[in-house]
Amino acid sequence: MTMMKNAFSLAAMPGRLALSALAAASLFLGSAGSALATPTLLVDRGLPTANLNSPAGSPRSNTAVNAGAPREFAGDDFQLGNSLLGWNVSKISTWVVGGATDSFLGDLYRSLSFYIGDADGDGLQRLAFSNLSSGSDATPGSGSGPSISATRVAYVDGSTFDSPEGARALYRVDFDNLGLHFASNTLVQFGIDLDGGRGTFAHASNAALSGLPQPGADDRYRLFKLSDSIPGTADFTGFACTGQDAGCVGGAFTSDVNVQVFGNAVPEPGTVALSGIALLALAGSRRRAGRVAPAAQA
């Protein structure tokens, strides 16, 4: 109703004033739309910065978690918090541990799939998929839909993941152009399935030892199994609280899969409308001031 009243009041304005007000309002709405479309960091459980590798001794914060069975993979959850109209999520980043540092992601895996879903729902849906090629870390582009990119990265001290078998490549996997919407306070579950002999090793860290805040960390990660009955879905099978290094006995290696989530709270319509009204009033006052100015100079 507010926007309709604004339209009627515009009709009553002098022609040139109405055009000025409309131009100002259009500029505002365009700028607001662009600003709102710019994603911000909503959840930051990124890579640890402390107790990284074997020289740190035990306990160390970082580990790699694996479901340990065919057609299963590890993941985790995050919560987006309170927002009246919910959240738009455009990008999610998480990390995986690959093979030896001189190998490629495509040498070990045939494909990469990203699964996500409401934790209160029936399971995960596959949102993005990419084939992988031997001798390459790259994932092919997917047009205007969700995209996947895998980038080799290192910890803050320049090291890569240290396993009992030696140094391993560390990848940040970005899922962009997601176009997801979640209601306020939704608990979201997610995971990567890398199809290949090693299975997926998701990078995880112990929140208390990681060296930086890990909001939403609960010292456990989620386990999923690909559905046999519905292609492109996966079922939640339970929780684990540690990686491959220790038993699940409240110890030093309790961990959460690292993740970053980018997006925006959905703006309330009233906020945009009120801002538009203010700009219309400003445009009108400036127009009136311009008419008075010549008389003052005479």
Side-chain angles (χ1 to χ4, degrees), residues 194-270:
L194 283 163
D195 180 22
R198 285 171 48 89
T200 307
F201 283 86
H203 191 283
S205 63
N206 179 283
L209 301 172
S210 68
L212 74 169
Q214 296 279 343
D218 58 5
D219 292 330
R220 59 182 187 171
Y221 59 91
R222 289 177 175 246
L223 300 174
F224 303 98
K225 181 178 179 62
L226 297 179
S227 172
D228 293 323
S229 57
I230 307 176
T233 64
D235 300 316
F236 171 57
T237 63
F239 291 100
C241 68
T242 188
Q244 60 185 355
D245 300 295
C248 198
V249 190
F253 289 92
T254 55
S255 55
D256 295 83
V257 172
N258 297 106
V259 64
Q260 291 180 323
V261 182
F262 301 83
N264 300 91
V266 179
E268 299 176 27

Side-chain angles (χ1 to χ4, degrees), residues 140-174:
S142 58
S144 59
S147 63
I148 304 173
S149 61
T151 306
R152 291 193 183 215
V153 296
Y155 297 117
V156 67
D157 65 354
S159 63
T160 59
F161 188 83
D162 186 30
S163 76
E165 296 81 25
R168 290 288 181 262
L170 179 61
Y171 295 89
R172 186 188 72 244
V173 186
D174 299 315

Side-chain angles (χ1 to χ4, degrees), residues 2-29 271-289:
T2 303
M3 294 303 291
M4 289 298 295
K5 290 179 180 177
N6 290 344
F8 289 134
S9 62
L10 273 174
M13 291 182 180
R16 295 177 66 181
L17 175 56
L19 288 175
S20 299
L22 281 172
S26 299
L27 178 61
F28 164 77
L29 292 174
T271 303
V272 177
L274 287 173
S275 299
I277 291 170
L279 276 174
L280 289 174
L282 177 62
S285 65
R286 287 180 174 175
R287 180 65 178 174
R288 288 191 296 273

